[in-house]
Amino acid sequence: ALLLCLAVAASLGGVEARKHPGKETLGYYELRRGEFSMVVTNWGATILSVRLPDKNGTIDDVVLGYKTIGGYVNDTTYFGALVGRVANRIAGGRFTIKNHPYHTYTNDGNNTLHGGHRGFNQVFWSVRERATGAFPYITFYYRSGDGEEGFPGALDVLVTYKIDGDYSYSVTMYARPVDKPTPVNLAQHTYWNLRGHGRGTVLDHSVQIFASAVTPVGGDLIPTGAVTPVAGTPFDFRAPAAPGARIAEVEGGYDINYVLDGRDADGQGVRKVAVVSEATSGRVMELWGDQPGVQFYTGNFLKGDEGKGGAVYEKHGGLCLETQDFPDAVHNPKFPTEIYRAGQVYKHYMLYKFSIAGK
């Protein structure tokens, strides 16, 4: 019932949109509360910008992105995108449900990454509901068909972006398999640079992650199935630390799932996930969420990508904190399950709170 309530159609309310090549209409939608604003699009349910003041009152865009929508088409960086049907990697692009084998599109060597070649970041979503006022929000909807990228059954998906306060916004994701059991693991793939996008690397940011363990990976970034403590390793961010301090000890840079502390028996319950701060701007970002894991990624595959406003994003030019189920859970029965039966509702909640250090 909750899923159906969220899906009530509403007017676009005068949103400026234009035709995209093909039959769909591309829209850009601003959510604003005072000096805090964000722009999203229905292409990939993507966050295009998040703007807020620094300690001196200067307003900057703190997320990485492309100058035009063309950059997001066939993009492999996943700037700001809502990724799925299964975020992160599926080993070998195959899995089994109830003794039935499924083969998904492999787009990362022999593995499936972020839903395959045409994941949820590479499709048009429809606007289901939009509200302005003190706490503006927008809800996007997408129906993923049976067999899309090799996944079983149709899947209804909703994502709502909402400004919840003066300097905070939430992301609420729902999905419901229509007719077959299927894996579901959605993630929001925004890249952050709190100094301002295009202003150097994030290696000097301060990062704190409320997790005492990680799921280690092999050379192909597939989890081994183990859960290992971070104590005494370069993965230990239980106390605030700069990623650059020990990144040389991590082959390729940080790109790993953290097992979040404070989980209940189902791995759920909203709790503080991470805190990121940057000294020059004074900006602080808190991330809260309800998923069992968070992927910490330091933009290791950025390589001079051309972004908004003529910015060039060098390696480590942004960081991602993607709350999620554990990667490759379909092959690891000890991980929290990501298989949802027909009619069962998947829910995923994230809350971002921004502030200025010392205020």
Side-chain angles (χ1 to χ4, degrees):
L2 179 58
L3 188 68
L4 292 174
C5 288
L6 284 174
V8 174
S11 168
L12 292 183
V15 172
E16 182 179 348
R18 64 179 177 83
K19 288 290 183 181
H20 187 75
K23 297 181 180 180
E24 303 287 351
T25 298
L26 176 68
Y28 301 95
Y29 311 92
E30 183 184 55
L31 307 178
R32 174 180 290 276
R33 181 177 171 86
E35 297 177 311
F36 181 57
S37 68
M38 57 191 301
V39 175
V40 298
T41 178
N42 61 327
W43 176 256
T46 299
I47 294 176
L48 301 177
S49 69
V50 175
R51 297 174 59 84
L52 69 156
D54 67 6
K55 63 184 180 183
N56 298 315
T58 301
I59 296 175
D60 295 305
D61 185 355
V62 295
V63 303
L64 278 60
Y66 293 109
K67 181 179 180 180
T68 68
I69 203 68
Y72 294 89
V73 178
N74 298 319
D75 165 51
T76 58
T77 62
Y78 303 94
F79 283 154
L82 195 292
V83 295
R85 176 178 305 197
V86 175
N88 220 301
R89 292 170 174 84
I90 297 175
R94 61 184 64 193
F95 57 89
T96 300
I97 299 177
K98 295 183 176 180
N99 298 318
H100 191 292
Y102 294 96
H103 300 271
T104 51
Y105 190 100
T106 53
N107 59 328
D108 183 56
N110 293 322
N111 306 317
T112 300
L113 175 64
H114 293 330
H117 173 68
R118 190 172 179 267
F120 292 175
N121 64 305
Q122 289 293 310
V123 298
F124 278 104
W125 297 57
S126 61
V127 175
R128 278 299 178 92
E129 191 170 2
R130 185 176 182 229
T132 56
F135 304 103
Y137 67 86
I138 189 166
T139 298
F140 294 117
Y141 166 78
Y142 178 64
R143 162 66 70 92
S144 177
D146 182 17
E148 186 173 293
E149 299 300 300
F151 290 99
L155 183 73
D156 287 328
V157 190
L158 292 165
V159 57
T160 298
Y161 296 113
K162 180 181 180 182
I163 293 185
D164 295 271
D166 288 342
Y167 296 101
S168 68
Y169 77 89
S170 61
V171 184
T172 305
M173 298 167 247
Y174 288 95
R176 184 182 59 184
V178 175
D179 47 14
K180 296 179 183 178
T182 185
V184 182
N185 183 22
L186 307 180
Q188 220 300 321
H189 207 292
T190 294
Y191 288 67
W192 300 95
N193 186 324
L194 295 185
R195 195 160 38 240
H197 80 100
R199 294 181 181 170
T201 77
V202 295
L203 297 183
D204 61 350
H205 281 42
S206 172
V207 175
Q208 183 177 19
I209 302 174
F210 296 89
S212 301
V214 294
T215 53
V217 297
D220 55 359
L221 297 177
I222 297 295
T224 64
V227 175
T228 61
V230 297
T233 77
F235 298 101
D236 191 352
F237 286 91
R238 291 175 297 170
R246 301 186 68 180
I247 197 170
E249 302 174 49
V250 180
E251 184 178 358
Y254 292 100
D255 192 3
I256 196 165
N257 174 65
Y258 281 76
V259 180
L260 292 168
D261 297 336
R263 296 179 297 146
D264 61 23
D266 296 321
Q268 301 297 300
V270 177
R271 62 228 182 265
K272 189 182 291 186
V273 172
V275 179
V276 181
S277 62
E278 196 282 314
T280 303
S281 67
R283 294 186 180 101
V284 180
M285 180 180 78
E286 290 184 9
L287 172 61
W288 296 67
D290 65 357
Q291 297 300 288
V294 63
Q295 189 83 7
F296 177 46
Y297 173 58
T298 48
N300 312 319
F301 296 110
L302 296 176
K303 50 183 185 301
D305 298 76
E306 185 175 350
K308 300 173 284 189
V312 176
Y313 303 136
E314 58 187 295
K315 186 177 182 179
H316 309 311
L319 64 83
C320 302
L321 288 161
E322 309 156 56
T323 54
Q324 61 181 1
D325 282 315
F326 295 174
D328 200 36
V330 292
H331 294 127
N332 288 284
K334 293 182 179 180
F335 288 177
T337 184
E338 60 182 17
I339 304 297
Y340 287 79
R341 64 184 182 275
Q344 185 180 5
V345 175
Y346 163 96
K347 181 179 182 293
H348 183 166
Y349 176 78
M350 308 172 75
L351 176 65
Y352 296 86
K353 299 180 180 180
F354 299 90
S355 61
I356 299 298
K359 294 186 179 180

